[in-house]
Amino acid sequence: LDPNDVSLTPVTTGPLTVNADGTVTVAAGTDSGTYTVVYTICEIAVPTNCDDATVTVVVDGTMDAVDDDYTATAQEGVDGITYTDILDNDTLNGVAVDPNDITITPNTNGPLTVNANGTVDVAPGTGPGTYTVTYTICEIAVPTNCDTATVTVVVGNPDPIEAVDDDYSATPVNGTTGGTVSNVFDNDTLNGVLLDPNDVSLTPVTTGPLTVNADGTVTVAAGTASGTYTIVYTICEIAVPTNCDDATVTVVVDGTMDAVDDDYTATAQEGVDGITYTDILDNDTLNGVAVDPNDITITPNTNGPLTVNANGTVDVAPGTGPGTYTVTYTICEIAVPTNCDTATVTVVVGNPDPIEAVDDDYTATAQEGVDGITYTDILDNDTLNGVAVDPNDITITPNTNGPLTVNANGTVDVAPGTGPGTYTVTYTI
């Protein structure tokens, strides 16, 4: 027929409307189902020439919520994680759902929560395992058009926590003062990556002079003797307390005492007079630096004419003849009394230079010969060990020849009444 030759009175039955132009409208918000409406057309030229027909329309309001499966690492279980794509595989009327067209009923099961915005939270601290939660989505326009799906999250087992041995031998610790060495956490791993100290627990432990502290530092007690020390510590994952591991820390304590031999040379005169050397500690070291006399003790020792005193000086006894003399001494650290070392002091006392008595010539006047005279300077040009003699260091054998007498005190007398002439006398020093 020619639509211009007929008339159609619009009619509505339920959600269906047959319009005057012959089109059929389905109302928005119509539930899914099969709907019918009857319409009548009549010939305009012959109004009694009419007929009825039935229109059948199927409304598809299918909501399809599809199950979701997720895999989380152990660390994601510990930290917590949120999945935002649970709606990505859900459809409404055969096409991807528009979040604006649906409602989601929030739901929680164990560590999983489906939120009203369509995200799924895995609670922090979730251990390894398989977890599920269901959610229901409904069409806003057709609230009865709903479907339910299941979200499954598998949280994996953690990688083993690994406490790695620490060896600090390359950087010895001064045993006198003690100290703190680097952190044991620096090379330890959790879930395959360097651990965050906030994710593990360490129970402080002490073995001998070493202590591993809760913050991972290692302390060496002051006054620790030199040597190599070890200590074992245990770390555990806070989220999974059974996930633990042990490691060993090695620390070298350097308490090295080094007493170095000393060599001295004394002149013959210094051997005769005696001499004290005060610098025997100048070349001795403690822990690699010059010793502080306040940090050590010295064991006094005597050998022959040499004596090492408690104050660190060495005496050469007066009257020591030429020769080579030795004496040992031992120094110990006060803080670590077992940290000791011994050195030898050697003193070589030289041979004396020859004693030299030099001839003396005097001229006396005739009157001095008559009166007699004494000369007092016969020693002034005599030497011992290259220097002028000290009368206290020598003896003079008295001697007389004619009017001349050499006295034991080093003077020479010319006897009174000595006539003109040349007179001589010898003396021996």
Side-chain angles (χ1 to χ4, degrees), residues 251-311:
V251 177
V252 170
V253 175
D254 179 7
T256 304
M257 179 73 75
D258 188 12
V260 180
D261 292 345
D262 302 279
D263 292 292
Y264 300 102
T265 300
T267 66
Q269 190 60 48
E270 289 170 334
V272 171
D273 297 337
I275 189 172
T276 297
Y277 297 102
T278 60
D279 59 349
I280 68 168
L281 297 180
D282 286 359
N283 58 350
D284 297 340
T285 59
L286 173 60
N287 298 327
V289 297
V291 297
D292 181 340
N294 296 315
D295 294 336
I296 62 167
T297 59
I298 302 177
T299 304
N301 189 23
T302 297
N303 185 41
L306 304 187
T307 297
V308 178
N309 303 300
N311 64 1

Side-chain angles (χ1 to χ4, degrees), residues 31-255:
D31 288 340
S32 59
T34 300
Y35 299 88
T36 60
V37 62
V38 177
Y39 70 96
T40 301
I41 54 174
C42 296
E43 185 179 0
I44 294 174
V46 185
T48 58
N49 184 19
C50 299
D51 196 21
D52 298 333
T54 299
V55 179
T56 301
V57 177
V58 173
V59 176
D60 179 7
T62 304
M63 179 72 74
D64 187 13
V66 180
D67 292 344
D68 302 278
D69 293 293
Y70 300 101
T71 300
T73 66
Q75 190 60 48
E76 289 170 334
V78 171
D79 298 336
I81 189 172
T82 297
Y83 298 103
T84 60
D85 59 349
I86 68 169
L87 298 179
D88 286 359
N89 58 351
D90 297 341
T91 59
L92 174 60
N93 299 326
V95 297
V97 297
D98 181 341
N100 296 314
D101 294 337
I102 63 167
T103 59
I104 301 176
T105 304
N107 189 22
T108 297
N109 184 40
L112 304 187
T113 297
V114 179
N115 304 300
N117 64 1
T119 60
V120 176
D121 294 331
V122 180
T126 299
T130 300
Y131 305 90
T132 61
V133 64
T134 60
Y135 69 97
T136 299
I137 53 177
C138 295
E139 186 178 2
I140 292 173
V142 187
T144 58
N145 186 22
C146 300
D147 196 28
T148 298
T150 299
V151 177
T152 301
V153 178
V154 177
V155 179
N157 290 308
D159 291 333
I161 193 170
E162 187 171 4
V164 180
D165 291 345
D166 302 278
D167 190 340
Y168 301 111
S169 300
T171 308
V173 177
N174 187 315
T176 303
T177 59
T180 299
V181 298
S182 189
N183 200 296
V184 298
F185 291 144
D186 289 350
N187 59 350
D188 296 340
T189 60
L190 176 61
N191 297 322
V193 296
L194 285 176
L195 60 78
D196 181 342
N198 295 315
D199 293 336
V200 299
S201 62
L202 190 160
T203 303
V205 58
T206 297
T207 299
L210 302 187
T211 298
V212 181
N213 305 298
D215 62 1
T217 57
V218 179
T219 303
V220 180
T224 298
S226 58
T228 300
Y229 299 87
T230 60
I231 186 172
V232 176
Y233 70 96
T234 301
I235 53 174
C236 296
E237 185 178 3
I238 293 173
V240 187
T242 57
N243 188 21
C244 300
D245 197 27
D246 298 336
T248 299
V249 179
T250 301
V251 177
V252 170
V253 175
D254 179 7

